[in-house]
Amino acid sequence: MSQRETASRDGAAGDAGGAAGAGVVAGARGGAGDSGAAGGSGAVDLDAIARAASREAGGVSPDLLADYLPATADAARSGRRLASMELARYGRAGEQAAESGVALRGLVDLYLSATWRLWRVLSGLADLRAAGLGMLRAADDAVAAAAEGFERAHLSIARREEAERLEFVDDLLSGRDAADLLVRGERLGLRLAGPHLVVLAEYATGVRATRPLGQEIDRLVAEAAAPSPSLTITRGGRLVAVTGVTDGGEASRVAVALARALARGHPDLLPDEPRPWRVAFGRPYPGPGGVRRSYDEAGDALDVAARLGMPDPVVDASDLLIYQVILRDRTAITDLVAALLTPLEQARGGAGPLLATLQEYYASGGVAAEAARRLHLSVRAVTYRLARVKALTGRDPADPAQGLSLRVAVIGARMLDWPAVDLGTG
């Protein structure tokens, strides 16, 4: 129950049904029985009020009122507060409403509609002001209790659904029984027999998430993926979005929507500043196994993009296939880096400056002037470093044939984090 003063209320209330005044007839809901004797011409048909309130609330079941009407009528006449047992019943009614799919607005409408209808027909009230205050307090307490019960049940339902989705995705990615996954996927809105893809989003290591990864993200992903179905969960610190494929544009729409949502949590970032998050998506494939494959591709793309320090916050796994091929044979790429680049360690200052020069030289399309601008060096300094690379490795960075192996070795060095990490331990 909410933080209301129930102790004094319970003491003053006594038996909720025992003090009901005249003018309230039999037929009250919630087990209150006949709350008071028949009041002649002033009798009130509580069942009729409940039914009318139900109609006004869009057909919400009048049973959700429990014994609210006789209790409120008694409160209006006696000035008492609703008892904790009564409020507990309204809380349970709120839980029942949430579990039955009733909207909170409809539940509140039911109680308030019943309240004004009851007030309109109550008679024999000696002090209208006191009676009105009593009824308003009763309505306030009852609606608060029902709403609290509704929110409690809604949270419980959301947790159950989240647990079901998480278990489903875990089973999906671990390769459980495909037939069972197809059936469970249908219940969650996914037709896994068709093509699906996975979009992953994560913050950089050490960066605290500033955007909620809950219902807001669910809505954004669903809107971006529409008309294809989608499912989102948080798994291992990453947001995982599984979406069907209808028009082929789902991946980019979902990825952009996620990037924009994450960006709203960092409004102070300048346009050219690196983003502390990254979004990646795999290619679409059919069947449960296809979801696993797309998930692996997206995960590998996040890893490769982080290793290479790529500035783009949205990454398409298909654009990084060459890097994944390079890493697939780690022994071979390690040998290539050792054979071609370790001679650079003989240079004054070590291999780092020469390796950085090669990276920017290839990134700028082999244009020394552009590489110099990126490195904040003179063109002469860049050409001198390129000459040192040729002297130490025996390979000319500007020669197409010799430069290819050097370029692959440079990529391999970045992915192996060499020279910061020794090739024997990386």
Side-chain angles (χ1 to χ4, degrees), residues 303-378:
D303 182 56
V304 169
R307 287 173 177 267
L308 296 179
M310 300 181 72
D312 193 342
V314 177
V315 179
D316 183 346
S318 61
D319 294 336
L320 302 182
L321 291 178
I322 182 62
Y323 301 105
Q324 295 177 26
V325 169
I326 291 173
L327 266 187
R328 196 162 293 159
D329 192 340
R330 193 179 185 89
T331 301
I333 195 63
T334 300
D335 290 343
L336 181 65
V337 172
L340 295 187
L341 299 183
T342 51
L344 300 181
E345 294 179 313
Q346 302 172 30
R348 185 173 58 183
L354 296 182
L355 185 60
T357 301
L358 284 173
Q359 290 172 357
E360 295 302 333
Y361 178 70
Y362 289 127
S364 60
V367 179
E370 175 61 19
R373 187 189 67 80
R374 296 185 180 194
L375 292 166
H376 305 289
L377 297 172
S378 66

Side-chain angles (χ1 to χ4, degrees), residues 5 63 73 107 140 287:
E5 299 178 1
D63 292 337
L107 178 66
D140 181 35

Side-chain angles (χ1 to χ4, degrees), residues 257-277:
L258 289 177
R260 288 175 177 170
L262 297 174
R264 287 196 289 271
H266 299 268
D268 298 330
L269 281 177
L270 297 176
D272 57 346
E273 280 190 89
R275 276 26 187 172
W277 68 84

Side-chain angles (χ1 to χ4, degrees), residues 11 60 69 105 118 125 142 152 155 159 176 197 218 247 249 293 301 308 319 337 352 354 393 406 415-416 423:
V60 176
L69 286 172
R105 176 180 178 179
L118 176 62
L125 300 175
R152 186 167 54 245
L155 180 60
R159 286 174 174 169
R176 298 289 177 88
L197 58 85
D218 291 344
D247 57 25
R293 185 175 177 183
L308 296 179
D319 294 336
V337 172
L354 296 182
T393 65
L406 271 177
M415 299 178 74
L416 296 174
L423 291 177

